Amino acid sequence: MRKTWVSIVLAGVVAAGSLVGLGVMSNGKSAEAASKPSFTDIDGHWAESSIETAVQAGVLNGYPDGSFKPNNTITRAELLKVMAMTFKIEVAAVGSNWYAPYQTALSKAGIYLDGDYPGNLNNPTTRNEMAKLAVRGEYTEYRGKKLSAAELMFRAVNKGILSRSGTKAETINTEGTTTRAEAAVLVTRLLKLANGGKLTVDQGASSAAEIAWHRHNMITMFNQNDLVKLPYSVDISKKYNVTIDKLIILDPADTKGYYAEYLKGASYYSADTSLKPRDNYVFAFKLIGKNLVSDGSSQYVNDSFMMYTDDNTGSSIRLEDRYIYHDGTLVERNGLFINDKEFVFRKPDTQAHNYNFALVPKTYIKNQIKQYGAFPVHLEKFNVASGKESQIYLTDVKDAWGH
């Protein structure tokens, strides 16, 4: 069967002739690619340059009335065609409907898998669905793999293909619909990679996507993925168990990073008083305590363990007062918080929520990585005699005390 390049006409699910198709020459470039496109509705738009780049590349186009309609959503079917064109996937010019050749071609390439788009392909595509095709298309090691939507979103953000959708790092908006302007930005970034360029990674958004995927951001921060699977449960004593629900590593120097607003106004207590807050990382362990007895004894949840860092043990932070709760409850709350109440063991199997914070110098982490090949996350149980029984390692790599 003869295969050919098919021009990108995103008109398959809208009124015929509502978009202008760009003729594609035998070399795969649009006949209009050399000229700068002119639309009536993109002047000053945040994605103006990306729209121009994607149109000049022959991947996207405008409407007969001279508009581009950057804020209109793009459908799943349309995105299939956009991705096939962007990755230069050979498409057979046959099919039961206009988008079938692109769906088939992407399926054969391992970029589109069964179940990627459940339901109607004429529905607007989400950012998660966009991430699936973009990651598999750009990185051959992910082709044909049925990875979770959360992992594919992280891979997309961690590679710089996608970034935050709002002012805060955690606003990734995975289920939000995708506009034509956002599709143009995606195409532009993928074309940059194809031409040997490098993308800027939104570290805060990468942390947010990684935490949403598997509850920690060690890959984003240290390119390290040997952490135990979270949530991770451990008995601190015969009376008390704690589950480490999340490990969030924050950089005080990154004012636009993940959960950055919760560090504003915090007090820093470093064993090395010469260090500034920006010289450290904050390790925030989200904890869920559970009592194993009901004898009236007690435990401060945020004193379940200490993070071992040689001479820097004991360094920590105190959040601003508005994030410290004195209401007598130990409940789950938004963001970073401290529940300033002792956990009294009165009713069996009661849960209590809190955070444990450790302040770790960046130079210390750098030296540990140099010495051990990765950073050992070493915890010591609180009020337990030092030794093997007191140690908790969340990473496969261990320091000298764990060998």
Side-chain angles (χ1 to χ4, degrees):
M1 180 182 295
R2 182 175 179 271
K3 294 183 178 180
T4 182
W5 288 105
V6 183
S7 63
I8 178 67
V9 185
L10 300 184
V13 293
V14 291
S18 62
L19 294 177
V20 179
L22 293 178
V24 179
M25 300 184 297
S26 60
N27 63 1
K29 293 184 178 181
S30 165
E32 293 89 347
S35 61
K36 183 177 180 179
S38 177
F39 298 110
T40 60
D41 56 353
I42 68 168
D43 187 29
H45 192 278
W46 65 269
E48 180 180 0
S49 63
S50 292
I51 292 169
E52 291 173 348
T53 299
V55 171
Q56 284 180 294
V59 177
L60 289 173
N61 47 34
Y63 289 78
D65 63 0
S67 67
F68 183 80
K69 295 180 174 44
N71 299 324
N72 281 14
T73 57
I74 186 170
T75 70
R76 293 163 159 179
E78 291 168 344
L79 187 66
L80 290 173
K81 194 168 189 178
V82 168
M83 291 293 96
M85 296 295 290
T86 301
F87 295 121
K88 301 186 184 303
I89 304 298
E90 287 188 307
V91 178
V94 294
S96 57
N97 52 52
W98 75 267
Y99 58 78
Y102 305 99
Q103 186 177 18
T104 299
L106 291 174
S107 295
K108 288 181 178 179
I111 297 172
Y112 176 83
L113 303 182
D114 289 342
D116 276 352
Y117 290 175
N120 195 334
L121 264 70
N122 292 331
N123 289 337
T125 191
T126 67
R127 285 168 60 81
N128 248 337
E129 292 167 344
M130 183 166 60
K132 292 177 182 179
L133 300 188
V135 171
R136 292 203 200 100
E138 182 60 34
Y139 302 100
T140 56
E141 64 265 34
Y142 297 117
R143 292 194 181 186
K145 292 187 178 180
K146 273 190 169 295
L147 304 177
S148 69
E151 179 176 356
L152 286 166
M153 173 57 72
F154 164 68
R155 300 297 179 191
V157 178
N158 186 245
K159 298 290 189 180
I161 295 173
L162 296 180
S163 54
R164 70 187 72 189
S165 56
T167 56
K168 293 183 179 180
E170 51 268 34
T171 54
I172 309 173
N173 195 21
T174 57
E175 295 305 317
T177 55
T178 300
T179 65
R180 285 168 52 80
E182 290 169 334
V185 172
L186 174 66
V187 169
T188 301
R189 290 176 179 176
L190 292 172
L191 291 175
K192 185 175 182 179
L193 289 174
N195 290 325
K198 293 185 178 181
L199 301 178
T200 300
V201 177
D202 183 338
Q203 187 179 68
S206 179
S207 285
E210 186 179 357
I211 291 165
W213 169 35
H214 61 183
R215 313 182 83 83
H216 68 76
N217 59 335
M218 289 283 286
I219 300 175
T220 297
M221 302 306 287
F222 308 132
N223 195 29
Q224 183 174 339
N225 193 26
D226 65 338
L227 203 72
V228 297
K229 185 177 179 180
L230 299 181
Y232 180 73
S233 180
V234 61
D235 287 345
I236 301 299
S237 69
K238 293 181 179 180
K239 296 183 177 183
Y240 173 68
N241 171 278
V242 69
T243 294
I244 301 171
D245 184 55
K246 292 181 181 178
L247 170 55
I248 303 171
I249 303 159
L250 304 107
D251 184 355
D254 186 359
T255 59
K256 294 183 179 180
Y258 183 74
Y259 275 5
E261 67 271 28
Y262 293 99
L263 296 184
K264 291 180 180 178
S267 299
Y268 291 79
Y269 303 97
S270 176
D272 184 347
T273 56
S274 69
L275 296 178
K276 304 294 184 183
R278 64 176 178 270
D279 299 324
N280 300 277
Y281 285 115
V282 175
F283 281 66
F285 298 88
K286 188 177 182 182
L287 307 180
I288 304 173
K290 184 176 73 172
N291 60 310
L292 305 177
V293 297
S294 53
D295 60 1
S297 57
S298 60
Q299 166 81 47
Y300 277 104
V301 176
N302 51 0
D303 282 342
S304 298
F305 52 77
M306 296 182 297
M307 188 169 177
Y308 181 82
T309 54
D310 290 343
D311 294 337
N312 301 297
T313 300
S315 298
S316 189
I317 69 167
R318 177 181 172 84
L319 300 179
E320 198 174 42
D321 286 344
R322 57 180 166 158
Y323 302 124
I324 301 175
Y325 295 87
H326 308 279
D327 56 9
T329 60
L330 292 164
V331 297
E332 166 77 4
R333 305 181 193 273
N334 293 327
L336 304 181
F337 61 85
I338 288 292
N339 285 322
D340 192 25
K341 177 180 169 56
E342 196 171 18
F343 181 24
V344 181
F345 304 160
R346 293 195 180 97
K347 185 179 179 181
D349 296 328
T350 302
Q351 287 193 351
H353 300 260
N354 229 320
Y355 267 93
N356 174 300
F357 297 99
L359 192 64
V360 185
K362 292 177 179 178
T363 53
Y364 174 80
I365 292 177
K366 183 178 180 180
N367 290 335
Q368 291 278 288
I369 292 173
K370 183 177 180 181
Q371 183 174 358
Y372 299 110
F375 180 64
V377 180
H378 178 181
L379 312 177
E380 288 285 338
K381 296 179 183 179
F382 190 74
N383 281 341
V384 176
S386 180
K388 290 291 184 183
E389 294 301 317
S390 68
Q391 297 174 2
I392 305 169
Y393 283 91
L394 299 186
T395 49
D396 290 339
V397 64
K398 296 178 174 58
D399 54 28
W401 295 97
H403 293 286

Tab-separated table of all heavy atoms in Angstrom, residues 324-368:
chain	number	residue	atom	x	y	z
A	324	ILE	N	0.364	26.606	61.804
A	324	ILE	CA	0.473	25.818	63.034
A	324	ILE	C	-0.876	25.875	63.739
A	324	ILE	O	-1.360	26.954	64.094
A	324	ILE	CB	1.589	26.361	63.946
A	324	ILE	CG1	2.929	26.328	63.202
A	324	ILE	CG2	1.683	25.532	65.231
A	324	ILE	CD1	4.081	26.947	63.972
A	325	TYR	N	-1.488	24.715	63.942
A	325	TYR	CA	-2.866	24.652	64.426
A	325	TYR	C	-2.901	24.249	65.897
A	325	TYR	O	-2.296	23.255	66.305
A	325	TYR	CB	-3.682	23.674	63.570
A	325	TYR	CG	-3.819	24.143	62.144
A	325	TYR	CD1	-2.843	23.831	61.191
A	325	TYR	CD2	-4.898	24.921	61.753
A	325	TYR	CE1	-2.950	24.281	59.881
A	325	TYR	CE2	-5.021	25.377	60.449
A	325	TYR	CZ	-4.041	25.053	59.516
A	325	TYR	OH	-4.151	25.507	58.221
A	326	HIS	N	-3.637	25.037	66.652
A	326	HIS	CA	-3.780	24.808	68.105
A	326	HIS	C	-5.233	24.477	68.458
A	326	HIS	O	-5.689	24.765	69.561
A	326	HIS	CB	-3.333	26.057	68.875
A	326	HIS	CG	-1.978	26.563	68.502
A	326	HIS	ND1	-0.809	26.017	68.996
A	326	HIS	CD2	-1.610	27.569	67.669
A	326	HIS	CE1	0.228	26.666	68.489
A	326	HIS	NE2	-0.224	27.614	67.675
A	327	ASP	N	-5.953	23.881	67.514
A	327	ASP	CA	-7.380	23.635	67.726
A	327	ASP	C	-7.657	22.299	68.400
A	327	ASP	O	-8.810	21.871	68.493
A	327	ASP	CB	-8.136	23.720	66.395
A	327	ASP	CG	-7.584	22.771	65.334
A	327	ASP	OD1	-6.724	21.933	65.675
A	327	ASP	OD2	-8.006	22.869	64.169
A	328	GLY	N	-6.617	21.612	68.836
A	328	GLY	CA	-6.815	20.379	69.596
A	328	GLY	C	-7.112	19.156	68.756
A	328	GLY	O	-7.503	18.116	69.297
A	329	THR	N	-6.935	19.247	67.440
A	329	THR	CA	-7.195	18.091	66.583
A	329	THR	C	-5.920	17.711	65.827
A	329	THR	O	-4.999	18.509	65.686
A	329	THR	CB	-8.312	18.380	65.566
A	329	THR	OG1	-7.919	19.486	64.737
A	329	THR	CG2	-9.609	18.730	66.281
A	330	LEU	N	-5.892	16.475	65.358
A	330	LEU	CA	-4.736	15.951	64.629
A	330	LEU	C	-5.179	15.462	63.249
A	330	LEU	O	-4.876	14.346	62.836
A	330	LEU	CB	-4.092	14.813	65.422
A	330	LEU	CG	-3.403	15.228	66.727
A	330	LEU	CD1	-3.143	14.023	67.621
A	330	LEU	CD2	-2.101	15.941	66.430
A	331	VAL	N	-5.892	16.323	62.559
A	331	VAL	CA	-6.516	15.942	61.301
A	331	VAL	C	-5.631	16.307	60.114
A	331	VAL	O	-4.700	17.094	60.217
A	331	VAL	CB	-7.891	16.618	61.139
A	331	VAL	CG1	-8.837	16.161	62.233
A	331	VAL	CG2	-7.748	18.146	61.139
A	332	GLU	N	-5.954	15.729	58.959
A	332	GLU	CA	-5.311	16.073	57.690
A	332	GLU	C	-5.716	17.489	57.291
A	332	GLU	O	-6.864	17.888	57.422
A	332	GLU	CB	-5.765	15.072	56.619
A	332	GLU	CG	-5.462	15.457	55.199
A	332	GLU	CD	-4.010	15.243	54.851
A	332	GLU	OE1	-3.265	14.718	55.697
A	332	GLU	OE2	-3.614	15.591	53.736
A	333	ARG	N	-4.739	18.268	56.779
A	333	ARG	CA	-5.016	19.638	56.345
A	333	ARG	C	-4.347	19.875	54.994
A	333	ARG	O	-3.533	19.077	54.529
A	333	ARG	CB	-4.520	20.637	57.383
A	333	ARG	CG	-5.067	20.395	58.797
A	333	ARG	CD	-4.549	21.432	59.777
A	333	ARG	NE	-4.799	21.085	61.162
A	333	ARG	CZ	-5.907	21.373	61.844
A	333	ARG	NH1	-6.885	22.026	61.228
A	333	ARG	NH2	-6.036	21.022	63.099
A	334	ASN	N	-4.684	20.998	54.371
A	334	ASN	CA	-4.087	21.333	53.080
A	334	ASN	C	-2.642	21.773	53.246
A	334	ASN	O	-2.271	22.395	54.244
A	334	ASN	CB	-4.876	22.456	52.397
A	334	ASN	CG	-6.262	22.018	51.981
A	334	ASN	OD1	-6.471	20.864	51.634
A	334	ASN	ND2	-7.206	22.934	51.993
A	335	GLY	N	-1.825	21.475	52.245
A	335	GLY	CA	-0.456	21.968	52.223
A	335	GLY	C	0.393	21.453	53.361
A	335	GLY	O	0.178	20.365	53.899
A	336	LEU	N	1.399	22.249	53.727
A	336	LEU	CA	2.253	21.931	54.870
A	336	LEU	C	1.602	22.466	56.136
A	336	LEU	O	1.013	23.549	56.128
A	336	LEU	CB	3.640	22.558	54.702
A	336	LEU	CG	4.410	22.206	53.433
A	336	LEU	CD1	5.775	22.891	53.451
A	336	LEU	CD2	4.576	20.705	53.283
A	337	PHE	N	1.733	21.735	57.227
A	337	PHE	CA	1.097	22.176	58.475
A	337	PHE	C	1.744	21.488	59.666
A	337	PHE	O	2.460	20.493	59.527
A	337	PHE	CB	-0.405	21.875	58.453
A	337	PHE	CG	-0.737	20.402	58.328
A	337	PHE	CD1	-0.798	19.573	59.447
A	337	PHE	CD2	-0.968	19.831	57.091
A	337	PHE	CE1	-1.089	18.224	59.334
A	337	PHE	CE2	-1.260	18.474	56.963
A	337	PHE	CZ	-1.328	17.674	58.085
A	338	ILE	N	1.464	22.026	60.826
A	338	ILE	CA	1.820	21.387	62.098
A	338	ILE	C	0.578	21.378	62.973
A	338	ILE	O	-0.043	22.417	63.218
A	338	ILE	CB	2.942	22.156	62.832
A	338	ILE	CG1	4.276	21.973	62.115
A	338	ILE	CG2	3.080	21.691	64.280
A	338	ILE	CD1	4.837	20.567	62.184
A	339	ASN	N	0.188	20.204	63.432
A	339	ASN	CA	-0.868	20.083	64.438
A	339	ASN	C	-0.207	20.076	65.809
A	339	ASN	O	0.453	19.109	66.180
A	339	ASN	CB	-1.674	18.795	64.225
A	339	ASN	CG	-2.616	18.899	63.044
A	339	ASN	OD1	-3.208	19.941	62.810
A	339	ASN	ND2	-2.766	17.819	62.292
A	340	ASP	N	-0.347	21.176	66.517
A	340	ASP	CA	0.370	21.361	67.775
A	340	ASP	C	-0.381	20.710	68.937
A	340	ASP	O	-0.929	21.387	69.808
A	340	ASP	CB	0.575	22.857	68.032
A	340	ASP	CG	1.557	23.111	69.168
A	340	ASP	OD1	2.399	22.231	69.418
A	340	ASP	OD2	1.461	24.182	69.802
A	341	LYS	N	-0.404	19.391	68.911
A	341	LYS	CA	-1.101	18.637	69.958
A	341	LYS	C	-0.466	17.269	70.089
A	341	LYS	O	-0.090	16.643	69.100
A	341	LYS	CB	-2.588	18.506	69.632
A	341	LYS	CG	-3.383	17.664	70.639
A	341	LYS	CD	-4.838	17.590	70.256
A	341	LYS	CE	-5.573	16.534	71.103
A	341	LYS	NZ	-5.433	16.781	72.551
A	342	GLU	N	-0.358	16.804	71.330
A	342	GLU	CA	0.180	15.477	71.576
A	342	GLU	C	-0.871	14.420	71.231
A	342	GLU	O	-2.065	14.603	71.465
A	342	GLU	CB	0.595	15.354	73.047
A	342	GLU	CG	1.492	14.177	73.336
A	342	GLU	CD	2.050	14.224	74.754
A	342	GLU	OE1	1.485	14.956	75.589
A	342	GLU	OE2	3.038	13.524	75.017
A	343	PHE	N	-0.398	13.319	70.677
A	343	PHE	CA	-1.262	12.209	70.303
A	343	PHE	C	-1.388	11.275	71.504
A	343	PHE	O	-0.461	10.544	71.851
A	343	PHE	CB	-0.643	11.489	69.113
A	343	PHE	CG	-1.431	10.321	68.569
A	343	PHE	CD1	-2.798	10.206	68.746
A	343	PHE	CD2	-0.786	9.323	67.848
A	343	PHE	CE1	-3.504	9.137	68.234
A	343	PHE	CE2	-1.470	8.244	67.325
A	343	PHE	CZ	-2.845	8.154	67.522
A	344	VAL	N	-2.552	11.283	72.167
A	344	VAL	CA	-2.779	10.472	73.361
A	344	VAL	C	-3.483	9.181	72.947
A	344	VAL	O	-4.480	9.205	72.218
A	344	VAL	CB	-3.618	11.239	74.405
A	344	VAL	CG1	-3.823	10.373	75.650
A	344	VAL	CG2	-2.930	12.548	74.780
A	345	PHE	N	-2.955	8.045	73.432
A	345	PHE	CA	-3.464	6.739	73.025
A	345	PHE	C	-4.641	6.320	73.907
A	345	PHE	O	-4.485	5.618	74.902
A	345	PHE	CB	-2.360	5.683	73.117
A	345	PHE	CG	-1.131	6.018	72.316
A	345	PHE	CD1	0.087	5.424	72.602
A	345	PHE	CD2	-1.171	6.923	71.259
A	345	PHE	CE1	1.228	5.712	71.873
A	345	PHE	CE2	-0.045	7.227	70.519
A	345	PHE	CZ	1.166	6.622	70.827
A	346	ARG	N	-5.815	6.741	73.519
A	346	ARG	CA	-7.024	6.413	74.293
A	346	ARG	C	-7.893	5.381	73.584
A	346	ARG	O	-8.370	4.441	74.194
A	346	ARG	CB	-7.832	7.692	74.545
A	346	ARG	CG	-7.133	8.695	75.459
A	346	ARG	CD	-8.108	9.756	75.953
A	346	ARG	NE	-7.446	10.707	76.833
A	346	ARG	CZ	-6.972	11.878	76.464
A	346	ARG	NH1	-7.076	12.254	75.186
A	346	ARG	NH2	-6.390	12.691	77.307
A	347	LYS	N	-8.097	5.566	72.282
A	347	LYS	CA	-8.916	4.645	71.505
A	347	LYS	C	-8.032	3.899	70.525
A	347	LYS	O	-7.241	4.506	69.806
A	347	LYS	CB	-10.003	5.430	70.742
A	347	LYS	CG	-10.993	4.550	69.998
A	347	LYS	CD	-12.035	5.416	69.307
A	347	LYS	CE	-13.024	4.547	68.536
A	347	LYS	NZ	-14.040	5.365	67.837
A	348	PRO	N	-8.112	2.565	70.463
A	348	PRO	CA	-7.212	1.781	69.599
A	348	PRO	C	-7.321	2.166	68.128
A	348	PRO	O	-8.390	2.513	67.638
A	348	PRO	CB	-7.677	0.340	69.825
A	348	PRO	CG	-8.395	0.358	71.131
A	348	PRO	CD	-9.020	1.708	71.241
A	349	ASP	N	-6.167	2.106	67.449
A	349	ASP	CA	-6.088	2.325	66.003
A	349	ASP	C	-6.593	3.701	65.564
A	349	ASP	O	-7.155	3.854	64.483
A	349	ASP	CB	-6.854	1.234	65.249
A	349	ASP	CG	-6.241	-0.136	65.451
A	349	ASP	OD1	-4.999	-0.211	65.614
A	349	ASP	OD2	-6.991	-1.121	65.446
A	350	THR	N	-6.367	4.677	66.391
A	350	THR	CA	-6.718	6.051	66.034
A	350	THR	C	-5.627	6.650	65.148
A	350	THR	O	-4.444	6.380	65.346
A	350	THR	CB	-6.882	6.913	67.301
A	350	THR	OG1	-7.884	6.320	68.135
A	350	THR	CG2	-7.288	8.332	66.956
A	351	GLN	N	-6.023	7.457	64.191
A	351	GLN	CA	-5.056	8.091	63.303
A	351	GLN	C	-4.811	9.542	63.699
A	351	GLN	O	-5.716	10.234	64.156
A	351	GLN	CB	-5.530	8.040	61.851
A	351	GLN	CG	-5.437	6.664	61.223
A	351	GLN	CD	-5.614	6.710	59.716
A	351	GLN	OE1	-5.962	7.738	59.148
A	351	GLN	NE2	-5.348	5.588	59.052
A	352	ALA	N	-3.573	9.969	63.510
A	352	ALA	CA	-3.191	11.350	63.797
A	352	ALA	C	-2.250	11.831	62.694
A	352	ALA	O	-1.289	11.144	62.345
A	352	ALA	CB	-2.516	11.440	65.160
A	353	HIS	N	-2.508	13.007	62.148
A	353	HIS	CA	-1.760	13.527	61.010
A	353	HIS	C	-0.830	14.663	61.422
A	353	HIS	O	-1.171	15.487	62.269
A	353	HIS	CB	-2.726	14.040	59.938
A	353	HIS	CG	-3.650	12.992	59.401
A	353	HIS	ND1	-3.436	12.356	58.196
A	353	HIS	CD2	-4.784	12.452	59.916
A	353	HIS	CE1	-4.400	11.482	57.988
A	353	HIS	NE2	-5.236	11.519	59.014
A	354	ASN	N	0.342	14.700	60.786
A	354	ASN	CA	1.287	15.771	61.057
A	354	ASN	C	2.419	15.743	60.032
A	354	ASN	O	2.468	14.861	59.168
A	354	ASN	CB	1.855	15.674	62.475
A	354	ASN	CG	1.776	16.998	63.213
A	354	ASN	OD1	2.020	18.044	62.617
A	354	ASN	ND2	1.440	16.955	64.494
A	355	TYR	N	3.328	16.698	60.161
A	355	TYR	CA	4.539	16.740	59.340
A	355	TYR	C	5.771	16.735	60.224
A	355	TYR	O	5.753	17.287	61.330
A	355	TYR	CB	4.580	18.010	58.478
A	355	TYR	CG	4.004	17.850	57.100
A	355	TYR	CD1	2.668	18.154	56.850
A	355	TYR	CD2	4.789	17.411	56.037
A	355	TYR	CE1	2.131	18.026	55.569
A	355	TYR	CE2	4.257	17.280	54.758
A	355	TYR	CZ	2.934	17.587	54.532
A	355	TYR	OH	2.411	17.449	53.270
A	356	ASN	N	6.825	16.092	59.739
A	356	ASN	CA	8.142	16.179	60.344
A	356	ASN	C	9.044	16.897	59.347
A	356	ASN	O	9.093	16.535	58.171
A	356	ASN	CB	8.675	14.764	60.632
A	356	ASN	CG	10.111	14.753	61.135
A	356	ASN	OD1	11.023	15.217	60.461
A	356	ASN	ND2	10.320	14.188	62.306
A	357	PHE	N	9.750	17.940	59.807
A	357	PHE	CA	10.598	18.726	58.915
A	357	PHE	C	12.068	18.574	59.292
A	357	PHE	O	12.416	18.623	60.483
A	357	PHE	CB	10.232	20.210	58.979
A	357	PHE	CG	8.829	20.505	58.516
A	357	PHE	CD1	7.807	20.686	59.438
A	357	PHE	CD2	8.534	20.581	57.168
A	357	PHE	CE1	6.516	20.950	59.027
A	357	PHE	CE2	7.243	20.849	56.745
A	357	PHE	CZ	6.230	21.037	57.671
A	358	ALA	N	12.896	18.403	58.291
A	358	ALA	CA	14.344	18.369	58.494
A	358	ALA	C	14.990	19.350	57.530
A	358	ALA	O	14.560	19.484	56.375
A	358	ALA	CB	14.892	16.969	58.265
A	359	LEU	N	16.008	20.039	58.002
A	359	LEU	CA	16.738	21.015	57.206
A	359	LEU	C	18.110	20.418	56.894
A	359	LEU	O	18.887	20.133	57.808
A	359	LEU	CB	16.875	22.316	57.987
A	359	LEU	CG	17.366	23.555	57.237
A	359	LEU	CD1	16.374	23.965	56.160
A	359	LEU	CD2	17.579	24.693	58.220
A	360	VAL	N	18.399	20.219	55.609
A	360	VAL	CA	19.616	19.515	55.212
A	360	VAL	C	20.445	20.405	54.279
A	360	VAL	O	19.949	20.823	53.229
A	360	VAL	CB	19.289	18.189	54.502
A	360	VAL	CG1	20.571	17.416	54.208
A	360	VAL	CG2	18.334	17.348	55.343
A	361	PRO	N	21.702	20.686	54.628
A	361	PRO	CA	22.545	21.529	53.767
A	361	PRO	C	22.736	20.916	52.376
A	361	PRO	O	22.946	19.708	52.237
A	361	PRO	CB	23.877	21.600	54.528
A	361	PRO	CG	23.526	21.319	55.948
A	361	PRO	CD	22.397	20.324	55.890
A	362	LYS	N	22.702	21.749	51.376
A	362	LYS	CA	22.889	21.286	50.008
A	362	LYS	C	24.286	20.700	49.800
A	362	LYS	O	24.446	19.715	49.062
A	362	LYS	CB	22.637	22.434	49.027
A	362	LYS	CG	21.182	22.880	48.982
A	362	LYS	CD	20.979	24.064	48.057
A	362	LYS	CE	19.517	24.480	48.020
A	362	LYS	NZ	19.285	25.663	47.154
A	363	THR	N	25.274	21.287	50.456
A	363	THR	CA	26.641	20.760	50.314
A	363	THR	C	26.745	19.364	50.913
A	363	THR	O	27.481	18.515	50.397
A	363	THR	CB	27.656	21.691	50.993
A	363	THR	OG1	27.249	21.933	52.356
A	363	THR	CG2	27.743	23.021	50.270
A	364	TYR	N	26.045	19.116	52.002
A	364	TYR	CA	26.051	17.790	52.626
A	364	TYR	C	25.461	16.755	51.662
A	364	TYR	O	26.020	15.667	51.479
A	364	TYR	CB	25.255	17.816	53.924
A	364	TYR	CG	25.093	16.459	54.572
A	364	TYR	CD1	26.120	15.906	55.324
A	364	TYR	CD2	23.920	15.722	54.422
A	364	TYR	CE1	25.992	14.652	55.915
A	364	TYR	CE2	23.775	14.477	55.004
A	364	TYR	CZ	24.809	13.945	55.749
A	364	TYR	OH	24.678	12.710	56.319
A	365	ILE	N	24.340	17.107	51.043
A	365	ILE	CA	23.705	16.188	50.096
A	365	ILE	C	24.628	15.930	48.912
A	365	ILE	O	24.791	14.782	48.472
A	365	ILE	CB	22.354	16.759	49.628
A	365	ILE	CG1	21.361	16.756	50.801
A	365	ILE	CG2	21.797	15.963	48.454
A	365	ILE	CD1	20.019	17.362	50.493
A	366	LYS	N	25.251	16.966	48.423
A	366	LYS	CA	26.181	16.820	47.293
A	366	LYS	C	27.328	15.882	47.656
A	366	LYS	O	27.712	15.006	46.856
A	366	LYS	CB	26.722	18.193	46.898
A	366	LYS	CG	27.647	18.176	45.692
A	366	LYS	CD	28.112	19.577	45.324
A	366	LYS	CE	29.038	19.557	44.125
A	366	LYS	NZ	29.490	20.942	43.769
A	367	ASN	N	27.869	16.025	48.854
A	367	ASN	CA	28.979	15.169	49.286
A	367	ASN	C	28.526	13.724	49.486
A	367	ASN	O	29.275	12.786	49.178
A	367	ASN	CB	29.588	15.715	50.579
A	367	ASN	CG	30.336	17.022	50.359
A	367	ASN	OD1	30.793	17.307	49.259
A	367	ASN	ND2	30.446	17.829	51.405
A	368	GLN	N	27.309	13.531	50.016
A	368	GLN	CA	26.778	12.184	50.200
A	368	GLN	C	26.592	11.488	48.848
A	368	GLN	O	26.915	10.311	48.689
A	368	GLN	CB	25.446	12.248	50.944
A	368	GLN	CG	25.555	12.686	52.402
A	368	GLN	CD	25.938	11.534	53.311
A	368	GLN	OE1	25.146	10.638	53.567
A	368	GLN	NE2	27.166	11.563	53.802
